[in-house]
Amino acid sequence: MAGSVHVVGAGVAGLSCAVRLARAGRLVRVYEAAGQAGGRCRSFHDAALDRLIDNGNHMVLSGNRAALAYLDEIGAADSLAGPPRAEFPFLDLESGLAWTLRPGAGSIPWWIISSRRRVPDSRAGDYLRGLRLAFAGAGATVADCLDAGRPLYRRFWEPLAVAVLNALADEGAATLLWPVLRETFGRGEAACRPRIAAAGLSRSFVDPALSLLGVLGCPVRFNARVRAMTLAGDRVTGLDIGGEAIAVEASDAVVLAVPPAAAGGLIPGLETPRESRAIVNGHFRLEREWPGVSIVGLVGGVSQWLFRRADIASVTVSAAAALIDKSADVIAARLWPEVARALELGDAPLPPYRIVKEKRATFAQVPAEVARRPGTRTAWHNLFLAGDWTGTGLPATIEGAVRSGHAAAAVLSTGANT
Ligand SMILES: Cc1cc2nc3c(=O)[nH]c(=O)nc-3n(C[C@H](O)[C@H](O)[C@H](O)COP(=O)(O)OP(=O)(O)OC[C@H]3O[C@@H](n4cnc5c(N)ncnc54)[C@H](O)[C@@H]3O)c2cc1C
């Protein structure tokens, strides 16, 4: 008989693995170091704003099939919001130029033939040059494949690379950008509709999973940091949770769904990515509520993506090395004028705000670190890895995290990788 599965870490990777296995009838036990689940994808009540906010803006695209399958499994498929068709409004903060990118239906981008549909000052060939990403070698950066001198680079390729890879285009791994393009823009409009969690990340990606695990009789323990594992011969035989010993029986398995540094500390000799990159988010409480949600790409300033939900405007700065060590006051003062400009609020004074700094938002998605991503299996036959930093072939995103969780569940259930 199949034994219990001990899932360590209740981020999206751990939760998606636990849910898959629990729905298949396995007894799953989840151990989470923090007092809440969600890891890098979570909501919290912020006292300064008196609102529920997310640690950072998270966008998924309608072509993110694993993320959407996960939401479906936990009964949260309708918890995302976004425009009915794929459209990405942009504002150039330097020139004041505004445009909206509307990819066409179908996988051949006929729309790039029309100058009215293209990003200002771009030519059809600038888009086709993106096909070079498909043939990028393991050591290539995004900038190596594209023409940095063209306006499309600054107005599309670079913002896309920074958002997807959390790395500047001249260091981000080209091999990770291509699969995203292939699975979204490469499949046409219906696969690249932007989606955000309408009522916050936890309500979409976390709370429904915890409820389902509860219904299925699978306990989730909080404030339960796994401090050590007992490795004997070719298997894990025990977990140590701050002095409490948990036996891992012969038929049990362990899925380690923790960040790379934590996994490296628990498994001797495990090769993992070592460097990380930061993301900074500024959340501002507006004077009034606005209907619906809106997502705007910003170029030519510090801010990169602006999300607005009800009376909260949240702005993302990825690859935020230049900002991460500045004080919250300084960051807010830099971001707010850009937010006010994008929302056409004139010179409205700085409203109540919260700056959230995620120093280790993702592993550094640069060629040398991508080469250090391990697979699902380990040298111990009942020990498996999950997490956005494992070798999914995708960037460190919700989609990648879910796929890693599903891959671990598949190996455990059938012995096969998905
Ligand atoms: C600010 C920000 C913006 C982002 N924007 C996007 C976006 O727009 N779109 C997108 O798709 N992705 C985005 N991401 C990436 C996305 O959040 C991550 O890829 C995803 O959440 C990673 O999930 P995970 O389960 O792999 O890791 P984590 O979320 O890090 O989960 C690991 C869990 O393990 C726990 N843990 C650690 N050590 C132990 C231990 N010893 N014992 C027990 N538990 C332990 C941690 O507390 C944590 O809960 C963003 C990330 C950040 C930070």
Side-chain angles (χ1 to χ4, degrees):
M1 201 188 114
S4 303
V5 181
H6 304 266
V7 174
V8 183
V12 172
L15 289 174
S16 56
C17 178
V19 163
R20 225 348 107 94
L21 291 167
R23 279 169 51 100
R26 295 290 290 263
L27 174 60
V28 183
R29 302 171 191 281
V30 183
Y31 309 93
E32 167 55 50
Q36 80 282 328
R40 283 169 281 150
C41 175
R42 66 186 187 285
S43 315
F44 61 95
H45 184 268
D46 181 72
L49 301 180
D50 191 22
R51 294 287 182 278
L52 188 78
I53 58 170
D54 293 334
N55 64 318
N57 290 334
H58 279 61
M59 190 201 291
V60 294
L61 295 173
S62 48
N64 290 157
R65 58 179 167 78
L68 297 187
Y70 166 66
L71 290 179
D72 206 31
E73 282 177 18
I74 61 176
D78 58 2
S79 67
L80 300 184
R85 292 184 62 77
E87 54 179 32
F88 298 87
F90 278 89
L91 172 66
D92 186 333
L93 292 160
E94 226 165 50
S95 66
L97 207 62
W99 65 94
T100 298
L101 187 75
R102 291 190 184 86
S107 52
I108 300 177
W110 297 113
W111 60 274
I112 64 174
I113 295 171
S114 157
S115 61
R116 281 187 303 111
R117 304 267 309 266
R118 292 199 298 263
V119 171
D121 307 321
S122 66
R123 296 190 296 231
D126 299 334
Y127 298 82
L128 296 177
R129 203 174 166 102
L131 289 171
R132 295 181 58 171
L133 292 163
F135 306 101
T141 66
V142 172
D144 289 338
C145 302
L146 302 165
D147 184 348
R150 299 286 309 146
L152 187 67
Y153 184 82
R154 180 176 167 276
R155 292 183 175 157
F156 177 70
W157 291 121
E158 193 164 44
L160 182 75
V162 171
V164 170
L165 302 178
N166 187 23
L168 300 175
D170 61 7
E171 64 161 6
T175 52
L176 293 187
L177 188 57
W178 177 250
V180 175
L181 286 171
R182 190 184 60 222
E183 294 184 11
T184 57
F185 287 88
R187 287 171 48 219
E189 179 277 321
C192 46
R193 295 177 188 160
R195 295 287 176 261
I196 63 174
L201 291 170
S202 293
R203 293 257 186 95
S204 287
F205 291 97
V206 182
D207 299 345
L210 296 177
S211 304
L212 181 60
L213 290 171
V215 168
L216 295 172
C218 298
V220 180
R221 286 182 55 178
F222 295 104
N223 304 306
R225 179 179 297 279
V226 171
R227 296 187 185 278
M229 291 193 301
T230 311
L231 300 163
D234 67 348
R235 47 181 293 265
V236 188
T237 57
L239 303 176
D240 171 358
I241 301 181
E244 182 189 347
I246 310 265
V248 176
E249 307 295 344
S251 57
D252 289 358
V254 175
V255 176
L256 210 51
V258 299
L266 291 168
I267 305 180
L270 180 72
E271 188 168 58
T272 67
R274 287 177 293 213
E275 286 180 34
S276 52
R277 293 289 181 270
I279 300 181
V280 169
N281 265 262
H283 304 273
F284 301 91
R285 199 178 76 202
L286 306 173
E287 277 197 344
R288 66 175 176 89
E289 287 207 6
W290 301 44
V293 300
S294 75
I295 305 166
V296 182
L298 301 170
V299 300
V302 179
S303 312
Q304 295 158 357
W305 288 93
L306 173 64
F307 290 17
R308 193 199 35 68
R309 269 186 312 220
D311 62 354
I312 296 293
S314 302
V315 70
T316 304
V317 184
S318 297
L323 222 52
I324 195 78
D325 293 324
K326 305 227 178 304
S327 72
D329 293 356
V330 168
I331 296 172
R334 287 275 281 280
L335 299 181
W336 172 248
E338 298 181 347
V339 173
R341 175 126 181 251
L343 295 177
E344 297 179 354
L345 296 175
D347 50 9
L350 180 65
Y353 65 84
R354 170 67 58 198
I355 302 298
V356 182
K357 299 177 182 180
E358 291 274 9
K359 276 199 168 172
R360 278 173 286 279
T362 65
F363 79 97
Q365 299 175 79
V366 302
E369 294 292 282
V370 171
R372 299 177 60 83
R373 297 172 100 183
T376 306
R377 294 175 191 275
T378 68
W380 292 270
H381 83 262
N382 66 341
L383 175 60
F384 305 91
L385 297 174
D388 65 352
W389 55 278
T390 59
T392 60
L394 292 176
T397 54
I398 292 177
E399 177 69 8
V402 173
R403 283 211 210 163
S404 76
H406 287 173
V411 175
L412 263 159
S413 308
T414 65
N417 275 309
T418 47

